[in-house]
Amino acid sequence: MEQGPRGGSRPAEPGPCLSSPRGGEQAALVPLLSAAGAEPGSRMLAVAAVLPAGGCGERMGVPTPKQFCPVLERPLISYTLQAMERACWIKDIIVVVTGENMEAMENIIKKYKHKRISLVEAGVTRHRSIFNGLKALADNQPNSRLSKPEVVIIHDAVRPFFEEDILLKVVTAAKEHGCSDYDLEFGTECLQLALKYCHIKAKLVEGSPDLWKVTYKRDLYAAESIIKERISQEICIVMDTKENEEHISHLLEEVLKTELNHIHVRSQALYNAGSDIQHINLEQCYNFVCVNVKEPDFQETQKLMSMLEESNFSILYSIVVVSVHFLDFKLSSPSQKMESLMCIREFAKKMKKRKILLYGLIINYSQDEQKLQESLRQGAIIIAALIKERNSALIGQLLVA
Amino acid sequence: MEQGPRGGSRPAEPGPCLSSPRGGEQAALVPLLSAAGAEPGSRMLAVAAVLPAGGCGERMGVPTPKQFCPVLERPLISYTLQAMERACWIKDIIVVVTGENMEAMENIIKKYKHKRISLVEAGVTRHRSIFNGLKALADNQPNSRLSKPEVVIIHDAVRPFFEEDILLKVVTAAKEHGCSDYDLEFGTECLQLALKYCHIKAKLVEGSPDLWKVTYKRDLYAAESIIKERISQEICIVMDTKENEEHISHLLEEVLKTELNHIHVRSQALYNAGSDIQHINLEQCYNFVCVNVKEPDFQETQKLMSMLEESNFSILYSIVVVSVHFLDFKLSSPSQKMESLMCIREFAKKMKKRKILLYGLIINYSQDEQKLQESLRQGAIIIAALIKERNSALIGQLLVA
């Protein structure tokens, strides 16, 4: 067997794992691999991450290995990479995959534009795979863009939910602490194993319930719901700025704020949207309500769609756009409006290819204040449902509130 | 402290619990409480169940105790009771709740028409609560409708997914087996605790991944998805039986079967639906596609809705009804059809109160065979989405395929 980066005779099993050693409490056991030679106290640590992703996911009950299972049409591992990338202080991210999944993994990195990723081929066991990842970091080959790190985070590819501050805690602990007697006595056997076989300084770091592992099919369901909830937290209302039209848009904004009180609703004028859309992206907004009041019917929505299409914002998550149209049902039947809006169907089909989900919504702009409020409320409920479900089967439909 | 049914000095902790003693495998530890005096080998065992439901669910991160958290608008504990009730050989089901939740629990039993349930007040700990449940079974009071059982199943109220055959295995093991040396050595410490403190014969029974416990908020998401999937497995197409009209219905049926190949699709004529609906209920169908071809537009759907309304089938789960209407878009615009179908909105609102979710779907009945197939396929995708999501915000909408 080849020598690992620490020169030990056997590779470690340092994968962060969430267990419940104390009766299911929220304690996470996060053993660490602290590379030899790291200088305690230094500020700018060289940190890398190794993500073992060679598993076959037999407990999932599906033929696809769980790390490649789609969650909202994107492979699970891409979410883990996305979370890892957010920590800009991690210099290199090594993903360890089996030879047969190498090409699929390359395609995922390309499609979702992941950065700082290197691929390494898995070994026959998880231990060997981690060893291969560490070896790639330790090898100081002239052509390698990888540099030897001081601390390496080992993180399961099937734990997509974690916060940067947990990673930072783990890295800090790896740097600063030794393996305390208390942890050895009252922690779990993993710490002792790490010491016995790898002479590695391990430290128990308190985790969070977020740090769970996708193991069973039900975990995929949970992951999907969590992600849907996360990307539904913000709605941007796009409108033009004419006085009388602003009135309608702002009424809708107020009702949305009241009805969806857990969601952040804000409005944006479209006329200078070039810079605004950029701003929206930075705050990770994936939900737009576009108010159309001018003729022709779809002008505002089409403007927004062109911008979204150009922006490539929908690479990681689908974007929901609800095109809102007001009409006094007493003066004119919603079906007449529908007639003029039928083109939304073809438009929506085209947009779906760019992961932009377009729906139409006609709201009764009644002169009766109470009826208007009821329609706006109903509209808000429909908008919330469309955003929450992100159902691509219903794109291009014209809904009525 | 009062004496328990077995006369022990301390109540047992025999709650079935899912742990993963062997590295996360699908092994469930199901300690048993086997009442003294049970005769081995007897065929018709007297079996009761005790469901401790006094927890406060602090790990859930929500103010409602997890057993009362709504899943598809119904409290979690009601699903557990429903699963327990399916085992008709369980004579009594004791639910142990805190005094403050007693009334809420009574209302749940009433609302969802649960049978064979008795309520007992919880103690200060889970152990005491189970003890109280057992005591209620052991007390042989003249007015009590409870009788002393030979075997008692202790089952967490927050484990809603289990199959009857697992319960049966557990009861059989309780009856037949002693506590083997092997299990004591290689099982978990619970078995030894049971022996040490309660002199109870315990046996390790292999469980299934279904036996998981709802602990965190993500588990509620998973539970909701699992239940949605379960009740979406069967679609009943309701149609009348005229020859030419049958043609359309059967075309839709074929496409539904092809597109939704994991779902059981069957058709039913409505004219003798009185008995058929009863039949549908027995097979637990909660999804109907009603094909309307006769004038007036809604005749078939209204007939079906009246039957469903009378039947009370929607007590446990919401029922989805998709009212399908065919129209050649070349001869007449879908918006004209929509005009005549607008009454669906008020009708759907009324039905929602009975947990019947009604949606409209207009399918392009094109003379062009290819276009027709595409419309039918699109219709099938919309139907599948409506059934899968069961979204009450979209009731009364007219969708177009």
Side-chain angles (χ1 to χ4, degrees):
Chain A
M1 185 177 153
E2 290 173 275
Q3 291 283 298
R6 297 197 60 254
S9 62
R10 192 178 151 172
E13 161 65 317
C17 54
L18 180 69
S19 67
S20 302
R22 287 168 240 156
E25 283 162 26
Q26 298 174 9
L29 172 69
V30 192
L32 297 172
L33 183 67
S34 166
E39 288 168 32
S42 69
R43 275 285 171 193
M44 287 297 287
L45 275 178
V47 179
V50 170
L51 276 68
C56 63
E58 57 187 25
R59 274 174 295 181
M60 189 67 81
V62 290
T64 312
K66 56 194 171 183
Q67 59 274 26
F68 297 114
C69 280
V71 178
L72 296 181
E73 297 174 22
R74 178 151 67 101
L76 184 65
I77 193 169
S78 170
Y79 293 91
T80 312
L81 291 180
Q82 187 192 347
M84 197 59 82
E85 282 175 314
R86 271 202 298 267
C88 56
W89 42 270
I90 299 176
K91 198 162 172 276
D92 295 303
I93 301 165
I94 311 281
V95 181
V96 192
V97 283
T98 60
E100 64 179 354
N101 288 322
M102 196 59 82
E103 197 182 331
M105 195 60 225
E106 278 167 5
N107 290 336
I108 289 168
I109 290 166
K110 208 168 160 184
K111 184 169 179 186
Y112 300 106
K113 301 195 192 299
H114 292 300
K115 307 279 182 233
R116 287 147 40 213
I117 315 284
S118 301
L119 297 186
V120 165
E121 192 162 337
V124 288
T125 63
R126 189 173 180 280
H127 289 201
R128 297 268 180 176
S129 293
I130 293 168
F131 176 78
N132 291 355
L134 295 173
K135 196 169 163 292
L137 286 168
D139 282 349
N140 217 347
Q141 293 182 356
N143 292 334
S144 171
R145 59 160 206 84
L146 301 172
S147 57
K148 199 170 174 176
E150 291 167 278
V151 173
V152 181
I153 298 163
I154 314 282
H155 183 85
D156 277 333
V158 288
R159 295 185 197 271
F161 304 112
F162 56 89
E163 296 300 330
E164 191 177 332
D165 66 336
I166 288 277
L167 283 191
L168 208 57
K169 269 187 204 164
V170 167
V171 169
T172 309
K175 181 75 184 167
E176 293 179 4
H177 292 271
C179 182
S180 76
D181 285 345
Y182 180 87
D183 284 347
L184 274 180
E185 287 294 331
F186 302 102
T188 86
E189 65 278 15
C190 291
L191 300 180
Q192 282 174 321
L193 288 175
L195 185 66
K196 182 174 173 190
Y197 291 109
C198 318
H199 313 289
I200 282 170
K201 294 175 173 178
K203 165 76 187 165
L204 199 62
V205 174
E206 197 76 12
S208 78
D210 285 345
L211 210 49
W212 58 289
K213 183 176 177 177
V214 173
T215 306
Y216 299 107
K217 201 179 170 190
R218 65 169 182 267
D219 298 324
L220 282 180
Y221 290 144
E224 183 158 313
S225 297
I226 289 169
I227 293 164
K228 275 184 176 177
E229 195 181 75
R230 285 190 180 182
I231 60 177
S232 302
Q233 291 308 303
E234 182 147 351
I235 298 177
C236 180
I237 304 179
V238 179
M239 55 180 84
D240 69 18
T241 50
K242 280 191 183 172
E243 278 305 315
N244 62 331
E245 295 154 358
E246 240 185 329
H247 175 62
I248 313 174
S249 310
H250 286 297
L251 276 181
L252 179 63
E253 188 179 347
E254 286 313 307
V255 175
L256 275 170
K257 279 179 179 165
T258 313
E259 290 295 320
L260 321 177
N261 54 17
H262 58 290
I263 291 176
H264 180 219
V265 179
R266 60 201 171 87
S267 59
Q268 203 88 33
L270 198 60
Y271 69 100
N272 60 348
S275 59
D276 288 325
I277 296 283
Q278 192 60 34
H279 179 65
I280 291 160
N281 177 44
L282 289 173
E283 296 191 25
Q284 297 181 328
C285 184
Y286 298 99
N287 312 291
F288 295 86
V289 172
C290 187
V291 182
N292 295 262
V293 273
K294 287 194 294 198
E295 297 293 335
D297 280 318
F298 268 120
Q299 206 179 49
E300 300 303 301
T301 300
Q302 275 172 320
K303 231 192 277 182
L304 173 66
M305 298 296 266
S306 308
M307 286 173 192
L308 291 175
E309 211 182 345
E310 275 170 32
S311 71
N312 272 333
F313 292 167
S314 55
I315 286 178
L316 294 180
Y317 301 107
S318 63
I319 292 179
V320 169
V321 178
V322 184
S323 180
V324 175
H325 307 262
F326 287 96
L327 180 81
D328 189 337
F329 290 3
K330 216 171 177 180
L331 303 179
S332 162
S333 160
S335 63
Q336 283 173 30
K337 191 76 178 175
M338 282 175 168
E339 181 79 40
S340 75
L341 293 176
M342 273 300 163
C343 60
I344 196 177
R345 298 179 68 208
E346 291 309 313
F347 194 32
K349 261 187 224 169
K350 202 182 113 203
M351 286 298 134
K352 193 187 162 192
K353 289 174 193 149
R354 302 297 296 265
K355 284 174 66 183
I356 299 174
L357 309 177
L358 173 65
Y359 313 89
L361 175 61
I362 302 171
I363 296 180
N364 184 9
Y365 190 29
S366 175
Q367 299 303 314
D368 177 321
E369 183 61 27
Q370 205 183 332
K371 273 192 187 160
L372 176 62
Q373 281 301 319
E374 180 47 34
S375 288
L376 288 169
R377 207 183 67 83
Q378 189 58 34
I381 291 169
I382 292 173
I383 288 169
L386 291 173
I387 285 170
K388 190 181 162 228
E389 306 287 6
R390 309 186 101 72
N391 195 328
S392 63
L394 299 183
I395 57 148
Q397 297 294 335
L398 287 168
L399 309 171
V400 179
Chain B
M1 184 180 151
E2 289 173 275
Q3 291 283 298
R6 299 197 62 252
S9 62
R10 191 178 151 173
E13 161 64 318
C17 54
L18 180 69
S19 67
S20 301
R22 287 168 240 156
E25 283 163 26
Q26 299 174 8
L29 172 70
V30 192
L32 297 171
L33 183 67
S34 167
E39 289 167 31
S42 70
R43 274 285 171 191
M44 288 296 289
L45 276 177
V47 179
V50 170
L51 276 68
C56 64
E58 58 186 22
R59 274 173 296 180
M60 188 68 82
V62 290
T64 312
K66 56 194 171 183
Q67 60 275 26
F68 297 115
C69 280
V71 178
L72 295 181
E73 296 175 22
R74 178 152 66 101
L76 184 66
I77 192 169
S78 170
Y79 293 92
T80 312
L81 290 180
Q82 186 191 347
M84 198 59 82
E85 282 176 314
R86 271 203 299 266
C88 56
W89 42 269
I90 299 177
K91 199 163 170 278
D92 295 303
I93 301 165
I94 311 281
V95 181
V96 192
V97 282
T98 60
E100 64 178 352
N101 289 322
M102 195 61 82
E103 197 183 331
M105 195 61 225
E106 278 167 3
N107 290 336
I108 289 168
I109 291 166
K110 209 168 159 184
K111 184 169 180 185
Y112 301 106
K113 300 194 192 301
H114 292 300
K115 307 280 183 231
R116 297 164 9 233
I117 315 284
S118 301
L119 298 186
V120 166
E121 192 164 337
V124 287
T125 63
R126 190 173 180 278
H127 289 199
R128 297 267 181 178
S129 292
I130 293 168
F131 177 76
N132 290 356
L134 295 173
K135 195 168 164 293
L137 286 167
D139 281 350
N140 217 346
Q141 294 183 356
N143 292 334
S144 170
R145 59 160 207 84
L146 299 172
S147 57
K148 198 169 173 176
E150 292 166 278
V151 173
V152 181
I153 298 164
I154 314 282
H155 183 86
D156 278 333
V158 288
R159 295 186 197 270
F161 304 112
F162 56 89
E163 296 300 329
E164 192 178 333
D165 66 336
I166 288 277
L167 283 191
L168 207 57
K169 270 186 203 164
V170 168
V171 169
T172 309
K175 182 74 183 166
E176 292 180 3
H177 292 270
C179 183
S180 75
D181 286 344
Y182 180 87
D183 285 346
L184 276 180
E185 288 293 332
F186 302 102
T188 89
E189 66 277 15
C190 291
L191 300 179
Q192 283 175 322
L193 288 174
L195 186 65
K196 182 175 174 188
Y197 291 109
C198 318
H199 313 290
I200 282 170
K201 294 174 173 179
K203 165 77 187 163
L204 197 64
V205 175
E206 197 75 12
S208 77
D210 285 345
L211 249 176
W212 58 288
K213 182 176 177 176
V214 173
T215 307
Y216 299 108
K217 201 179 170 190
R218 65 169 182 267
D219 298 324
L220 283 180
Y221 290 144
E224 183 158 312
S225 297
I226 288 169
I227 293 163
K228 275 184 175 176
E229 194 181 76
R230 285 189 181 183
I231 60 177
S232 302
Q233 290 308 304
E234 183 147 351
I235 299 177
C236 180
I237 304 180
V238 178
M239 55 180 84
D240 70 17
T241 50
K242 280 192 183 171
E243 278 306 314
N244 64 329
E245 294 153 1
E246 240 185 328
H247 176 62
I248 312 174
S249 310
H250 287 296
L251 274 181
L252 180 62
E253 188 179 348
E254 285 315 306
V255 175
L256 274 170
K257 278 179 180 165
T258 312
E259 290 295 321
L260 321 175
N261 54 18
H262 58 291
I263 291 176
H264 180 219
V265 179
R266 61 200 170 89
S267 59
Q268 203 89 31
L270 198 59
Y271 70 99
N272 61 347
S275 59
D276 288 326
I277 295 284
Q278 194 61 33
H279 179 65
I280 291 160
N281 179 42
L282 289 174
E283 297 193 23
Q284 297 181 328
C285 184
Y286 298 98
N287 312 291
F288 295 87
V289 172
C290 187
V291 181
N292 295 263
V293 273
K294 286 194 293 199
E295 296 292 334
D297 280 319
F298 269 119
Q299 206 180 49
E300 300 303 301
T301 300
Q302 275 171 321
K303 232 193 274 180
L304 173 67
M305 298 296 266
S306 308
M307 286 173 191
L308 292 174
E309 212 183 344
E310 275 169 32
S311 70
N312 272 333
F313 291 168
S314 55
I315 287 177
L316 294 180
Y317 301 107
S318 63
I319 292 179
V320 169
V321 177
V322 184
S323 180
V324 174
H325 308 263
F326 287 96
L327 181 80
D328 188 337
F329 291 3
K330 216 173 179 179
L331 303 178
S332 160
S333 160
S335 63
Q336 283 174 32
K337 191 75 178 175
M338 282 175 167
E339 182 79 39
S340 75
L341 293 176
M342 273 300 162
C343 60
I344 195 177
R345 298 180 67 208
E346 290 309 313
F347 194 31
K349 261 187 222 168
K350 203 183 113 204
M351 286 298 131
K352 193 187 161 190
K353 289 173 194 148
R354 302 296 297 265
K355 284 174 67 182
I356 299 174
L357 308 177
L358 173 64
Y359 313 89
L361 174 62
I362 301 171
I363 296 180
N364 184 9
Y365 189 27
S366 175
Q367 299 303 315
D368 176 322
E369 183 61 28
Q370 203 183 333
K371 274 190 186 161
L372 176 62
Q373 281 302 320
E374 180 47 34
S375 289
L376 288 169
R377 207 184 66 84
Q378 189 59 34
I381 290 170
I382 292 173
I383 288 168
L386 292 173
I387 285 170
K388 189 182 161 225
E389 306 287 6
R390 311 185 100 73
N391 195 328
S392 64
L394 300 183
I395 57 148
Q397 298 295 335
L398 287 168
L399 309 171
V400 179

